[in-house]
Structure formats: C-alpha cells, structure tokens
Amino acid sequence: MPPPDDLPSFLHGVAPILDRWGYLAVAGVIGVESFGVPAPGQTIMVAAAIYSSWGRLNIFVVAAICFVAAVLGDNVGYWIGVRGGRKAVHRFGKYIFITPERLERAERFFARRGNRIVVVARFIDGLRQLNGVIAGLTAMPWRTFLIYNAIGAALWVGWWTTIAYLLGTHLVEIIDHAHRYKWWAIAAVVVAVGAYAYLHLRHIRKRRARDAETVKEESQA
C-alpha cells in the first residue's frame, strides 16, 4: 500500500474503500452513482487509475469495469424513469437526493440539448447521476439512449483513467496550479463572451437597419 501522504487530499475519502474492496468498490460506487445516488464515482475512478500507475491495480481492468458499471448503472436509471414515472421519482427520489427542483433543472437542460446531452452528461455533475432517469422520463428510445450513453461513458472513462494513470499524484499538483489562475481564466471567458455578445448585437442592429432601409426604398418606389 502506498504511503497515505502520497495520496492527493481529494482521494483520502475513497482510499479506504478502494484498499479494502478493490475492483468491486469501483464497480459498486460508479454503478450506484449512475442511477441517481450521489456517490463519488468519478473520484474513485481517478483513485483507481492512480493506484494502477503504482502497480496495485490493472489500468485496463479498471477502465473496463468503469465503463461497464457506468453503462449498466445508467440503464438502471433509464428503467427507473420508464417504469416508475415522474410520481415515483418524486416520491422516492428524496432518499437518493433527487429533489423535484433538481430534476426539473436537469430536464430543462436535457430537453434543450436533445440526444447530444447524453454524451456529455457524464462530464457534468448532477446530470451524470440523473442522465438515465431523465432519458426514461422523457421517453427517449432505449436503443438511442444506449448508443449515446455508451459513447459518453467511453469518453468519460477514457479521459479520466488515461489522465490519472499518466500523471499519477502529479494530477493534484496540476489542479493546484490551475486553481491559481482560475480567476484570470474566468475573466478571460467573461471578456470573450461579452465581446461576442456586443459584436453579435451590433450585427443584428445593422441588419435590421439595412432591412428597414430596403423596405423604405421599396415603399417609395
């Protein structure tokens, strides 16, 4: 077992579970997170990948288990959404922290983005846990959900296991360095969005002015 001091602080909570149960812990935590339970699925996946970089686990087995658990868990969530319906989710959701407000926000976001959100939902906390439930509630065809969900799970697992395995404990150092510049990054994003909005609105005003001028000229002709 690696020295506790070598573990990034954000992994301390899942390390005892991973130490005792190994691959079973990875499967269980990611599986239950995927159908609505707020479990640390992504954290334990990163921890397992770091353990693999130390030789304690096999990275390919970790990745395979994470993928299968994610897909199966989301399909359990899909079944809950289809079979249980909205009333059942509202009635029992409180036991796994699915509040009506949280579900409503996730549904609105889901409805605006369509099938594509199933792919990226794995990377968004909140949607990651409710992805399958919402797909079932909104009557998305199961085969469509299965395909997009599998793609999303593969990208999610592939990204985090690869990054964590290659970087190991250096991952936390990189995150710490990134946090130092997060306000600069946020400021840059705000400026970029503001500039885009300004230019877009100016373009709309010019187009409306041209259209108004064209209508005026046609009326005078």
Side-chain angles (χ1 to χ4, degrees):
M1 177 178 177
D5 291 341
D6 288 345
L7 289 171
S9 59
F10 69 95
L11 299 181
H12 288 174
V14 299
I17 304 172
L18 195 56
D19 288 333
R20 180 171 183 179
W21 300 103
Y23 297 119
L24 186 60
V26 177
V29 174
I30 291 180
V32 298
E33 182 198 44
S34 298
F35 62 80
V37 178
Q42 185 164 287
T43 302
I44 202 168
M45 177 171 60
V46 170
I50 292 177
Y51 273 38
S52 297
S53 70
W54 289 330
R56 295 199 60 212
L57 298 172
N58 184 295
I59 188 60
F60 297 106
V61 176
V62 168
I65 290 175
C66 290
F67 174 76
V68 172
V71 173
L72 291 180
D74 272 348
N75 275 272
V76 171
Y78 181 89
W79 180 86
I80 292 173
V82 170
R83 299 296 182 182
R86 191 177 305 278
K87 290 182 179 180
V89 172
H90 284 318
R91 181 178 179 183
F92 300 106
K94 59 184 179 181
Y95 297 110
I96 54 175
F97 304 99
I98 302 178
T99 63
E101 294 78 13
R102 186 184 182 194
L103 181 62
E104 184 179 353
R105 288 196 302 269
E107 279 187 295
R108 288 199 301 267
F109 190 70
F110 194 95
R112 290 197 302 270
R113 301 298 185 269
N115 296 341
R116 291 173 297 176
I117 195 58
V118 177
V119 176
V120 300
R122 274 276 151 200
F123 295 88
I124 304 173
D125 190 43
L127 279 180
R128 181 166 62 251
Q129 293 84 359
L130 299 177
N131 188 26
V133 175
I134 297 173
L137 285 175
T138 55
M140 174 181 285
W142 176 74
R143 289 187 177 181
T144 300
F145 171 74
L146 180 63
I147 292 172
Y148 282 95
N149 179 50
I151 294 172
L155 293 174
W156 179 64
V157 171
W159 169 259
W160 282 113
T161 55
T162 301
I163 292 296
Y165 179 78
L166 293 178
L167 298 180
T169 53
H170 295 296
L171 178 63
V172 73
E173 297 175 10
I174 294 173
I175 293 174
D176 288 340
H177 283 299
H179 280 186
R180 296 179 185 178
Y181 302 100
K182 66 178 180 180
W183 293 114
W184 289 103
I186 292 173
V189 170
V190 170
V191 170
V193 171
Y196 171 80
Y198 170 75
L199 294 174
H200 183 66
L201 290 174
R202 189 175 70 170
H203 173 73
I204 291 175
R205 286 196 296 268
K206 288 183 177 180
R207 186 178 62 186
R208 288 177 178 176
R210 288 196 301 268
D211 292 343
E213 186 67 24
T214 301
V215 171
K216 182 178 179 180
E217 291 176 355
E218 291 178 350
S219 63
Q220 293 175 349

